Amino acid sequence: MRKLALVITLLAAVAANAEQKNVQLLTNLSDWQLGAVMDNFTASLGVHCDTCHVRNEQTKAWDFPNDAKPEKKTAREMIKMVIDLNEKSFHGHTVIGCYTCHLGKEHPSLAVSLPVNIPPSKPEAEEAAERKAYPAAKDIVAKYITAIGGEAAAKKLATAPMTAKASRIGGNGQAMPIEVYRSGGSVMMRGTPAEGPAMAQVYSPTGGWMTGRQGQGIHTLPPVDAAVGLASARAYEPFDGTISDKARVVGKETVDGHETWIVGAPIDDHTRQRLYFDATTGLVLRRVVTMDSPVGRLPTQTDFEDYRDASGVRVPFTFRVASINGGQSATRKYTSIDLGAAVDAKLFEAPK
C-alpha cells in the first residue's frame, strides 16, 4: 500500500527536522514539508498558528512542543482520522483532507444550508454527447506547441538555459527587482529588497542554499528541502509542452472571460496538474498543481498573462501565483527573458 507522504519524501536524503520536538504523527517530514502542512491547516480551517500553538507573550517566541491547548489534542485526533481514512478507505491515496469538511471554516457545517438550490441537470445522453465531442488532450497540447512557436520552440523552452530579469510584487504590494537563472535542472533567484540585505536562493536536485534570509548567512538545504524550493520556483515557469500519456480532457471553464479546455494529468505518483488552455488561441492561461500530503492535497495556482516573444519562443511575461503559503503568493513581471545563452555554473555554487 502506498504511503501518504509528500512526493519529495521519496528522495533518499534524510529530512532536515532537527528543530522538531514533540511531533507525534507528522513524522519523517523536513521542517519545510511540515511548514507546508501547517499552512494547509491554516488555509483549510481559516485559523492562525495560535489556535493550537502557545506563544510566549513576553518574548513573542513560539513554544511549538507545548501541549497546553486542547485544540492541539483535537488537531492530532483529526490528523489521525484523515490518515486512517485515506489508508483504509482509499487504498493509501490522498482523497480527503482537512479542507474536505472544513471548507475554510474552523467548524464544519453539520447541516445543509436552506433553502436548497438544485441546479438543473442535463439528460445523461446529452452529457455523454458533449463529452464525446471533447477534443483529445494530445490535440490541445499540439495546438499549444504550435502557438508558442512549434516543436523546436517547445524543446528550447524545456531544455535551454534561461537568464531573466523581473519585478516581484508580493501580497503587500511591495516590488523587488530580481534576476533568475536556470540551467541543467538548477535554478537561482537573486533579489534586492527595498529594506534588508540582498537575497539569493538556489535549488537543484542535489541540494541548495540561501543567503540573506532574515539577515543570516548561508543556509544550506538538503535535497528534500531543495525539492520543495524547486517546486515553488517552477510555479513561475511556463508550460513547456511536456505532459503524461495519461493526460485527459476533464471539462471546460471560463478563465478571465476566456473559454478554456481543462486537461488533467499526473506529474508523478503524488503530484497532479490541471492546465487551462484557451480554446481560441491554444495558449495556457492557468495551471493548478496539487501535491499529496498526509492531510490533503497542497495546491499552487499560476495564472499566465502577457504572452510575448523571447528568443523565438512565445512565453508569458506575467505570472500570478497563489499558494496556501501567503508569503509565496506573488506576481512576477518579467522585463527580459533570454533562452539559450550560457549560464555560468559557478552561479549555483554556494559562496565560500
Side-chain angles (χ1 to χ4, degrees), residues 6 8 16-17 20 29-39 201-203 209-210 213 219-222 224-230 232 298 325 328:
L6 291 171
I8 37 203
N17 55 9
Q20 298 176 20
L29 299 181
S30 73
D31 289 341
W32 279 27
Q33 292 170 335
L34 186 60
V37 170
M38 293 297 117
D39 290 334
Q201 301 172 346
V202 170
Y203 307 115
W209 54 270
M210 306 172 68
R213 192 181 184 187
H219 177 65
T220 302
L221 302 174
V224 68
D225 282 342
V228 179
L230 272 176
S232 298
L298 312 181
N325 182 331
Q328 293 178 0

Side-chain angles (χ1 to χ4, degrees), residues 156-170:
K156 189 174 189 178
L157 187 58
T159 62
M162 182 187 79
T163 301
K165 293 183 178 180
S167 176
R168 180 192 185 278
I169 301 98

Side-chain angles (χ1 to χ4, degrees), residues 80-352:
K80 187 177 185 305
M81 178 190 72
V82 169
I83 292 175
D84 287 347
L85 279 171
N86 281 320
E87 286 282 3
K88 297 174 182 177
S89 300
F90 299 103
H91 309 289
H93 298 278
T94 304
V95 175
I96 67 166
C98 305
Y99 190 78
T100 306
C101 296
H102 283 272
L103 299 174
K105 300 178 294 184
E106 185 172 1
H107 302 287
S109 298
L110 301 179
V112 175
S113 297
L114 299 175
V116 176
N117 295 313
I118 301 177
S121 61
K122 295 180 181 179
E124 187 175 338
E126 184 178 340
E127 289 186 350
E130 286 184 359
R131 289 193 296 270
K132 191 174 181 179
Y134 285 177
K138 63 181 180 62
D139 294 333
I140 293 176
V141 174
K143 183 176 180 179
Y144 168 77
I145 290 175
T146 299
I148 65 172
E151 293 288 350
K155 183 178 180 180
K156 189 174 189 178
L157 187 58
T159 62
M162 182 187 79
T163 301
K165 293 183 178 180
S167 176
R168 180 192 185 278
I169 301 98
N172 58 5
Q174 293 184 349
M176 177 177 68
I178 63 171
E179 300 170 356
V180 182
Y181 303 91
R182 185 192 70 191
S183 181
S186 299
V187 61
M188 177 188 195
M189 291 163 288
R190 187 164 59 190
T192 306
E195 298 179 1
M199 300 186 297
Q201 301 172 346
V202 170
Y203 307 115
S204 78
T206 58
W209 54 270
M210 306 172 68
T211 62
R213 192 181 184 187
Q214 284 100 34
Q216 299 171 357
I218 300 172
H219 177 65
T220 302
L221 302 174
V224 68
D225 282 342
V228 179
L230 272 176
S232 298
R234 285 170 182 156
Y236 292 93
E237 294 183 0
F239 174 56
D240 63 18
T242 304
I243 199 164
S244 166
D245 293 337
K246 297 179 181 179
R248 64 185 183 89
V249 180
V250 297
K252 295 190 292 185
E253 188 172 314
T254 300
V255 176
D256 294 332
H258 299 264
E259 185 178 78
T260 67
W261 289 109
I262 308 171
V263 175
I267 296 175
D268 54 46
D269 286 345
H270 298 275
T271 315
R272 305 160 184 81
Q273 65 178 335
R274 286 198 170 193
L275 296 152
Y276 296 69
F277 295 84
D278 190 304
T280 302
T281 67
L283 297 172
V284 176
L285 301 184
R286 174 173 293 168
R287 177 176 59 208
V288 178
V289 175
T290 60
M291 298 175 63
D292 289 351
S293 87
V295 289
R297 296 178 182 172
L298 312 181
T300 301
Q301 176 176 299
T302 304
D303 285 351
F304 305 97
E305 302 173 11
D306 189 20
Y307 275 83
R308 290 187 254 160
D309 179 82
S311 306
V313 186
R314 195 176 180 193
V315 296
F317 271 64
T318 298
F319 295 72
R320 303 187 189 278
V321 173
S323 166
I324 54 174
N325 182 331
Q328 293 178 0
S329 299
T331 296
R332 183 181 294 181
K333 294 186 176 183
Y334 285 98
T335 54
S336 67
I337 300 176
D338 187 348
L339 294 167
V343 174
D344 188 351
K346 291 183 179 180
L347 277 174
F348 305 109
E349 298 176 1
K352 302 299 184 182

